[in-house]
């Protein structure tokens, strides 16, 4: 009986070795592909598409300025004329992964090529791929903004050094009654 088991082992050893080797090669190939996919996902987005000034309407002066200072991306808001300066103190921005796009915008992340925002995510900007922005009837700009629970398109405009005093806006004093309380 022992002799018969030895012969069986001799016959099945090459099969067993081939199975182990092919399994190891298969698993190694899977790991190599996973590494390549992870590396491809790490390629940083070109945040330079955000450099410039933005406003919520074509006919308004710039309200937000995004620039690179000392190797970091920052944003600045326009100050009122009474402040003595045009732009406020720079606030840091950081690159945001496209996988986070659905938290802020109703657009497929595959149609976005860069996302940047404040660390607290109160302000997030996304740049839609130009080809997609041209075919989506809901977009009238390549730039999307998310400002504290609201999303809309914004427009990149020329930067200027003119104060915008929000307090002088005649619409600033409008009081909107709660519809349910009016009746």
């Amino acid at each position: 009986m022992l002799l018969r088991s030895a012969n069986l082992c001799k016959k099945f050893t090459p099969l067993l070795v081939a199975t182990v080797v092919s399994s190891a090669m298969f698993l190694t190939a899977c790991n190599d592909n996973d590494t390549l996919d992870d590396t491809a996902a790490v390629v940083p987005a070109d945040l330079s598409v955000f450099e410039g000034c933005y406003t919520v309407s074509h006919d308004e002066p710039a309200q937000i300025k995004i620039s690179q200072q000392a190797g970091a991306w920052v944003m600045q808001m326009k100050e009122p004329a009474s402040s003595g300066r045009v732009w406020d103190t720079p606030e840091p921005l950081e690159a945001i992964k496209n996988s986070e796009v659905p938290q802020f915008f109703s657009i497929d992340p595959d149609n976005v090529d860069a996302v940047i925002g404040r660390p607290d995510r109160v302000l997030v900007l996304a740049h839609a791929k130009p080809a997609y922005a041209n075919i989506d009837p809901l977009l009238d700009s390549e730039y999307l903004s998310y400002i504290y629970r609201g999303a809309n398109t914004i427009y990149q405009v020329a930067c200027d050094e003119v104060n915008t005093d929000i307090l002088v806006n005649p619409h600033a004093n409008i009081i909107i009654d709660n519809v349910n309380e009016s009746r």
Side-chain angles (χ1 to χ4, degrees):
M1 184 77 143
L2 190 55
L3 185 58
R4 202 168 174 191
S5 293
N7 284 338
L8 266 161
C9 283
K10 282 184 183 180
K11 289 183 181 179
F12 286 111
T13 298
L15 179 62
L16 181 61
V17 169
T19 302
V20 169
V21 169
S22 65
S23 296
M25 290 175 60
F26 177 74
L27 291 174
T28 302
C30 288
N31 288 341
D32 288 346
N33 287 340
D34 289 345
T35 303
L36 291 175
D37 289 343
D38 289 345
T39 304
V42 175
V43 173
D46 180 13
L47 299 179
S48 68
V49 297
F50 295 111
E51 191 160 16
C53 292
Y54 299 88
T55 187
V56 294
S57 174
H58 287 294
D59 58 352
E60 292 183 14
Q63 298 168 350
I64 299 172
K65 181 180 189 179
I66 297 182
S67 60
Q68 196 170 19
Q69 297 180 10
W73 288 98
V74 297
M75 68 165 281
Q76 294 172 274
M77 300 289 291
K78 277 277 181 91
E79 288 275 34
S82 61
S83 72
R85 60 185 183 170
V86 177
W87 299 101
D88 70 358
T89 305
E91 294 285 333
L93 296 173
E94 61 188 22
I96 298 173
K97 295 177 185 176
N98 277 23
S99 60
E100 292 184 44
V101 165
Q103 294 176 35
F104 309 105
F105 307 105
S106 58
I107 184 173
D108 186 333
D110 291 339
N111 296 321
V112 172
D113 57 14
V115 186
I116 194 169
R118 287 178 32 158
D120 62 6
R121 302 301 193 256
V122 170
L123 172 81
V124 176
L125 299 176
H127 183 258
K129 293 178 181 177
Y132 181 77
N134 287 335
I135 63 169
D136 187 333
L138 299 176
L139 296 181
D140 54 355
S141 170
E142 294 174 15
Y143 296 94
L144 304 171
S145 70
Y146 170 89
I147 301 174
Y148 189 68
R149 298 187 183 172
N152 205 346
T153 55
I154 58 172
Y155 306 94
Q156 191 172 43
V157 296
C159 290
D160 60 63
E161 296 301 315
V162 178
N163 291 90
T164 303
D165 200 341
I166 296 171
L167 300 176
V168 184
N169 181 348
H171 300 290
N173 293 325
I174 294 175
I175 298 172
I176 300 173
D177 291 328
N178 186 330
V179 175
N180 294 328
E181 291 177 10
S182 299
R183 295 183 180 199

